[in-house]
Amino acid sequence: MGALIASDGSAHHPYLQRLARNEEPLRDLSDAVHHICLLHGRHPGVIDHALGHARLGIERDWLEAAADAFVIERAFLVRIVAAAGPMPSTPGHAETEAATAAQRHAIDMLAQSDRAGCATGAAIALAMDWAVIRETLDAAGERLGLTPPPSQLPLAEETVTVVDTLVREGMLERAMLFGAQQLFAQHRGLWDLLEARASARNKQ
């Protein structure tokens, strides 16, 4: 899981890095938060669905803590979207809507998978990826005069301990890795899409 995060996690995407460093125009940050909200602003979300499938004690404990913490993240995300106003006008918006709907469907399928460990792997990937996503949200909030609340998501060290415990079951490990890998892939697709939208706006 650690190798997967290092290779596939969002922290390595150049466009998201620029957003997190507050180097892009406000309209690009606004576009990003709108699309992040489309994927993760609804309840129940990835972590909530995964909690419904949890079996093991340590798995359920981690998911309960993460689900409670994500309530704060979701509320902050919604506040930013409201402050940002409408999504910026961008060529090819219909195609973007279709792509985002497909990503949302893929994430929902992962989070509601009956394969033991798959949904938990996706939830863990979201929690680990959220650190850099939260930097982008903080950058947008700063530009819009909003004070970010402290993150209550489980610390990375706690999450690693949970993963180490769960992956001792071989079949669970494979399912968890699959769920995480697919969640990371959907996130990378989102950052690619947002970068293409920013490029299209710059050419207007």
Side-chain angles (χ1 to χ4, degrees):
M1 182 69 79
L4 186 63
I5 292 168
S7 63
D8 293 9
S10 295
H12 304 290
H13 198 286
Y15 184 66
L16 189 62
Q17 288 176 347
R18 296 199 300 273
L19 288 173
R21 291 195 299 262
N22 212 348
E23 296 176 355
E24 300 300 305
L26 179 57
R27 64 180 183 177
D28 293 350
L29 281 165
S30 172
D31 198 42
V33 297
H34 272 283
H35 282 85
I36 293 168
C37 192
L38 287 173
L39 294 191
H40 297 301
R42 297 170 303 150
H43 182 271
V46 172
I47 300 173
D48 307 294
H49 283 305
L51 179 57
H53 290 81
R55 297 181 307 157
L56 303 178
I58 191 171
E59 179 184 13
R60 176 167 292 278
D61 291 346
W62 184 90
L63 286 167
E64 285 179 347
D68 288 344
F70 210 79
V71 171
I72 299 171
E73 301 301 315
R74 190 182 295 114
F76 181 45
L77 176 57
V78 170
R79 283 176 58 212
I80 298 172
V81 168
M87 192 180 295
S89 176
T90 308
H93 184 68
E95 292 83 351
T96 296
E97 282 189 327
T100 306
Q103 289 176 327
R104 187 167 60 233
H105 177 71
I107 289 174
D108 285 346
M109 293 292 288
L110 283 173
Q112 298 178 61
S113 172
D114 290 328
R115 182 183 176 189
C118 181
T120 296
I124 288 171
L126 173 58
M128 299 299 284
D129 238 15
W130 198 257
V132 67
I133 295 173
R134 178 59 187 271
E135 290 177 9
T136 299
L137 300 185
D138 289 352
E142 178 184 327
R143 299 276 280 275
L144 295 166
L146 300 176
T147 302
S151 175
Q152 301 296 319
L153 283 168
L155 297 174
E157 295 81 0
E158 297 173 8
T159 302
V160 168
T161 299
V162 171
V163 171
D164 286 345
T165 301
L166 294 177
V167 298
R168 292 172 187 168
E169 295 190 26
M171 298 208 38
L172 197 66
E173 177 183 18
R174 288 190 287 275
M176 285 176 61
L177 287 173
F178 176 80
Q181 188 176 42
Q182 295 303 308
L183 192 284
F184 286 142
Q186 295 306 319
H187 279 179
R188 290 197 310 275
L190 176 60
W191 317 138
D192 288 344
L193 177 65
L194 291 174
E195 187 171 24
R197 282 173 58 82
S199 177
R201 286 191 296 271
N202 291 336
K203 293 176 181 177
Q204 281 183 308

